[in-house]
Amino acid sequence: MNVDVTKLNWTRAPKHSVIQPDKIEITTEPHTDLWQRTYYHFQNDNAPVLQLETTERYFSFQVKTTAQRHHRFDQCGIVMYLDSQTWLKASSEYENEQFQHLGSVVTNNGYSDWATSTIDATISEIWYRLSRREDDFCLESSFDGIHFEQMRICHMQNIQDSIRFGIYACSPEESSFTATFTDMSLTACKWPAHDGQQPDEPTQ
């Protein structure tokens, strides 16, 4: 990992974790989650989040996650958590013995949305990449750490000069598991500038 783990800070720390130069482990506690209002109507804001802070406006952050999960909604992945009303995450969420949800959540102004695809339940290793271009963000995932596919492009509102991003894991129901994070890297932005249709001219 080329990320200096001594510069990572907990937004919420779990009871059990291991932080080493080349590996981070988070053991989840039951009834921990991140979600705001939409559809389900509840507000869950207690998942452990470990993050790095930056004022850099163009970068990519990448991490490999490894986890054996056997309970509904157990999840781990990448996150940018600014406050309870403004955050995004990408993760795989276990559903049953057949499949899990590979998805992303964006929360602006206190309302979350969720975009998903279905992947096999046996997949235990997934790489995630978060890229920033000013106040726009791209979330990607990979099953080999080489070939990444876009999960979502989004715009985050109420962004400040300094943002925080990193990793998280949680267990919304009565369960617990250990998520392992390795191969963390912080690089120049790997999300290329758009080279197609030009932006609209400003209106008077």
Side-chain angles (χ1 to χ4, degrees), residues 25-95:
E25 293 181 349
I26 297 175
T27 300
T28 63
E29 298 165 44
H31 308 294
T32 50
D33 196 8
L34 290 174
W35 184 264
Q36 287 290 342
R37 295 183 176 89
T38 306
Y39 179 66
Y40 306 107
H41 304 301
F42 52 67
Q43 295 177 260
N44 289 342
D45 189 42
N46 61 350
V49 173
L50 183 62
Q51 298 192 112
L52 185 69
E53 188 166 356
T54 186
T55 57
E56 180 60 51
R57 298 183 65 80
Y58 296 87
F59 68 85
S60 289
F61 171 68
Q62 185 173 308
V63 64
K64 176 185 177 182
T65 64
T66 305
Q68 297 288 343
R69 294 153 300 153
H70 304 285
H71 196 281
R72 189 175 65 161
F73 306 148
D74 282 351
Q75 60 193 267
C76 62
I78 204 167
V79 67
M80 183 186 75
Y81 183 93
L82 305 182
D83 56 49
S84 63
Q85 308 295 299
T86 311
W87 51 266
L88 60 77
K89 66 179 182 179
S91 64
S92 62
E93 183 172 307
Y94 185 85
E95 183 67 27

Side-chain angles (χ1 to χ4, degrees), residues 1-3 5 19-24 184:
M1 292 194 294
N2 74 352
V3 172
V5 297
I19 299 179
Q20 299 174 342
D22 61 346
K23 179 177 69 174
I24 296 172
M184 285 203 302

Side-chain angles (χ1 to χ4, degrees), residues 4 29 101 121 163 172 190:
D4 184 353
E29 298 165 44
H101 293 293
I163 67 166
K190 295 183 178 181

